[in-house]
Amino acid sequence: KFKKGRVVHTMGWPLGRNAGGGSFIYHFENNQVLVGFVVHLNYENPYLYPYAEFQRFKHHPMVAELLEGAKRVAYGARAISEGGWQSMPQLSFAGGVLLGCSAGMVNVPRIKGNHNAMISGIEAAEAAAAALKAGREGDRLETYDAAVRGGAIARDLKKVRNVKPIWSRLGLWPSLVLGGFDMWVANLTGRNPLGTWKHGKTDAQATGKAGDFEPIDYPRPDGKLSFDRLTNVAFSFTNHEESQPSHLKLKDPSVPIDVNLPDYAEPAQRYCPAGVYEVIEEGGKPRFQINFQNCVHCKTCDIKDPSQNIVWTTPQGGDGPNYPNM
Ligand code: SF4
C-alpha cells in the first residue's frame, strides 16, 4: 500500500464543529508512512480530547485500509505556531535569533513551513556572517529581522495572513470562500482586499466553561489502529531523569483543583498528548499530579491552560523525546 512520495491532506473529520483542524499522511521512505492530526487549540469545548480525535481519525475507512497490517514505530506531538504574519514577534535578541516555526513562519493553507524555515536560516547566517566580519558579537542582528520582514518570507506569509483568523472566527467553510478570495486577489495584485484580520482571543481564553458543554464519549482504542496514550508515549522514547525538579511549573499550585477542575473539568488531563497531567483521588479528595517524565515537549499546556498557570521550562541535560525518524 506504500507509495513513495504520496501526500494526502484532509480537513475537518472527525472534529465536526468542535474544532478546526485536519490531517496529513505522508508516504515517506523505507516503507514508512507519517500520519498526523492537527487540532486548532482555540477550541471551546474543554472536554475535547485531541489525542482521542487522532485515534478516531485512524478508523476512517480510507486511513484504516492504509494502516491495516502496519506496525507503529514512533509517536510524537508538537504545537504548531499558526499565527502567521500578524503574530511574528521580534526575531532577534542579544546573541540569538528565532528561526522558522519557533517564530511562527508556517504557511497555514499550504500546510508547509520548512521552506520558510530554510530561508530564515539562510537570512540569519548571512546577517551573522556580516556582523562577525564587522567585529560585532553578542548584540542584536537587526538586519536578520529586516531581511525576513522585507523578503521572500514576508511575500509568502502576507498573502495568506487572513486564512487562519477567518477560519478561527467564522469556521471552515467561510474561511475556504473568504480566505480563498483574499488569497487569490493578493496573489494577483499583491494586496489583501480584507486587510489584516486579528486572531481575536488567545487559545487559553477561547476555552469555554465545562457547564456549557457535554462530555464527549470517545471509543476505546482497539490496540491495532488506535492505542492508549501511555503506550504511545513509550514510542516517543522520551526520557527525563527522575530526580530532577519538574520542568513543568505551576504559578499557583492550587489553581488546577480549585479553579480548573470545577470550571473547566481540568482540561490538562485531555489536551496533553502524553498523559502528563492527572487528577487522582487521594483520601477522598482530588489531587493534581504532574508526570513530567512523560512530557514530549509539545508546549500545549503552556498555551492552552485556561488559567495560564502552567509554565514550560527547559529540563536538565537535553532530556526529552528522542524521535528516531520523525
Ligand atoms: S506536559 Fe505540556 S509540553 Fe509536555 S507533552 Fe504535555 S502538554 Fe506537551
Side-chain angles (χ1 to χ4, degrees), residues 116-184:
N116 288 338
M118 286 189 268
I119 297 170
S120 69
I122 294 168
E123 304 281 20
E126 282 176 356
L132 286 174
K133 214 170 172 185
R136 289 165 49 199
E137 63 176 84
D139 57 2
R140 264 193 65 203
L141 292 174
E142 283 105 345
T143 48
Y144 163 64
D145 248 292
V148 168
R149 288 176 205 280
I153 295 174
R155 285 196 295 281
D156 184 58
L157 293 182
K158 271 183 179 175
K159 277 188 281 202
V160 302
R161 65 187 165 206
N162 290 324
V163 172
K164 181 65 170 63
I166 296 175
W167 193 348
S168 299
R169 287 172 165 217
L170 305 181
L172 174 61
W173 294 107
S175 88
L176 289 177
V177 177
L178 265 181
F181 165 75
D182 189 62
M183 265 193 315
W184 180 64

Side-chain angles (χ1 to χ4, degrees), residues 203-277:
D203 295 335
Q205 287 163 348
T207 316
K209 294 280 173 78
D212 297 332
F213 294 89
E214 291 293 322
I216 304 172
D217 190 17
Y218 288 103
R220 291 178 73 80
D222 71 351
K224 293 185 188 120
L225 295 178
S226 45
F227 306 97
D228 72 73
R229 202 166 35 172
L230 286 183
T231 0
N232 259 342
V233 171
F235 284 83
S236 73
F237 307 102
T238 193
N239 178 50
H240 296 85
E241 198 185 301
E242 302 269 338
S243 60
Q244 69 182 289
S246 169
H247 64 286
L248 302 153
K249 314 274 186 211
L250 298 179
K251 290 182 195 162
D252 178 344
S254 70
V255 163
I257 297 301
D258 293 350
V259 180
N260 284 359
L261 188 58
D263 286 0
Y264 306 98
E266 186 44 283
Q269 301 174 87
R270 291 170 293 280
Y271 62 60
C272 172
V276 166
Y277 301 106

Side-chain angles (χ1 to χ4, degrees), residues 184-203:
W184 180 64
V185 176
N187 254 325
L188 291 177
T189 66
R191 288 182 184 277
N192 292 68
L194 300 181
T196 303
W197 281 47
K198 286 194 163 44
H199 289 278
K201 294 176 184 168
T202 66
D203 295 335

